[in-house]
Amino acid sequence: MAVPPLSPDPAKFALRAELHARRAAHVAALGPERTRAAAHAAAEQMLAHIPAGASVSLYLAMRDEIDPEPLAAALHARGHQLALPALIDRTTMCFLAWQPGDALDEGPMDLRQPPLSAPECAPDLIVTPLTGFDRMGGRIGYGAGHYDRAFQQYPGAHRIGLAWAIQEVAEVPHDPWDVRLHAIATEREFIRI
């Protein structure tokens, strides 16, 4: 099932804008110290649900996304193979091997990513950033469809969203190409779908 190009779905567009503003205001109100503490709390929520030996794709936080760095550090210490998403072009994303401290390149769309020469990794678990989520596994991202295509490319990978609790909505508009999450971790709880 192909993901169509970015569409001007008015419901998703309005919800995305509202959630970006909500997230930015929340992080600004928290301040740096409480933001870091929340990132550690989210990592703790997720760690118990990651099987030993699983290869895990994470992301590097952009703007006011909840930061998975504490999770990456804990998984690295436990010996997990880690990967980061990398954009080959504006539409094609893959996962490349990475560990904390490795060099990063500037990719398309301001994505910090491993050099394209890094080995490709087929993750057992994909941790994805979210703009919003619901308790049915619905997610809304930035609108380019990168993660939906990646989820289709790796159908056996367990999909976990990482978000601030305030990013939860009653229902995310769902298109036929949207791939639902298996779980969501926030600084407050782990939500199994």
Side-chain angles (χ1 to χ4, degrees):
M1 171 178 7
V3 177
L6 181 64
S7 67
D9 177 345
K12 278 190 174 179
F13 185 81
L15 180 59
R16 191 175 286 116
E18 174 193 330
L19 289 169
H20 280 292
R22 183 190 304 179
R23 185 175 73 190
H26 177 72
V27 172
L30 282 178
E33 188 175 312
R34 289 173 47 205
T35 297
R36 278 190 300 278
H40 282 275
E44 288 300 317
Q45 293 291 346
M46 192 178 292
L47 279 170
H49 302 280
I50 298 178
S55 61
V56 181
S57 173
L58 300 150
Y59 62 92
L60 298 177
M62 296 174 57
R63 299 184 264 315
D64 42 28
E65 294 172 340
I66 195 161
D67 193 351
E69 187 279 327
L71 178 62
L75 292 173
H76 178 65
R78 286 176 24 177
H80 289 269
Q81 167 66 56
L82 301 180
L84 290 178
L87 293 177
I88 297 169
D89 53 43
R90 292 188 66 83
T91 60
T92 308
M93 185 169 82
C94 64
F95 299 106
L96 301 178
W98 170 85
Q99 61 184 353
D102 281 357
L104 296 168
D105 287 347
E106 190 74 25
M109 303 170 73
D110 298 323
L111 184 70
R112 293 175 299 146
Q113 63 186 41
L116 294 178
S117 59
E120 191 163 348
C121 180
D124 298 314
L125 192 145
I126 300 171
V127 177
T128 178
L130 303 174
T131 298
F133 68 92
D134 62 34
R135 288 187 179 249
M136 297 163 285
R139 58 173 285 280
I140 188 166
Y142 287 97
H146 293 113
Y147 276 95
D148 287 308
R149 283 189 290 276
F151 294 158
Q152 292 169 18
Q153 186 178 351
Y154 300 100
H158 199 71
R159 303 176 297 275
I160 301 180
L162 183 58
W164 298 100
I166 56 93
Q167 292 175 255
E168 181 178 350
V169 296
E171 186 174 355
V172 170
H174 188 80
D175 289 310
W177 56 83
D178 290 335
V179 180
R180 293 195 181 272
L181 299 169
H182 294 110
I184 299 104
T186 75
E187 74 279 21
R188 295 185 188 155
E189 64 182 318
F190 188 85
I191 304 162
R192 190 178 298 279
I193 307 302

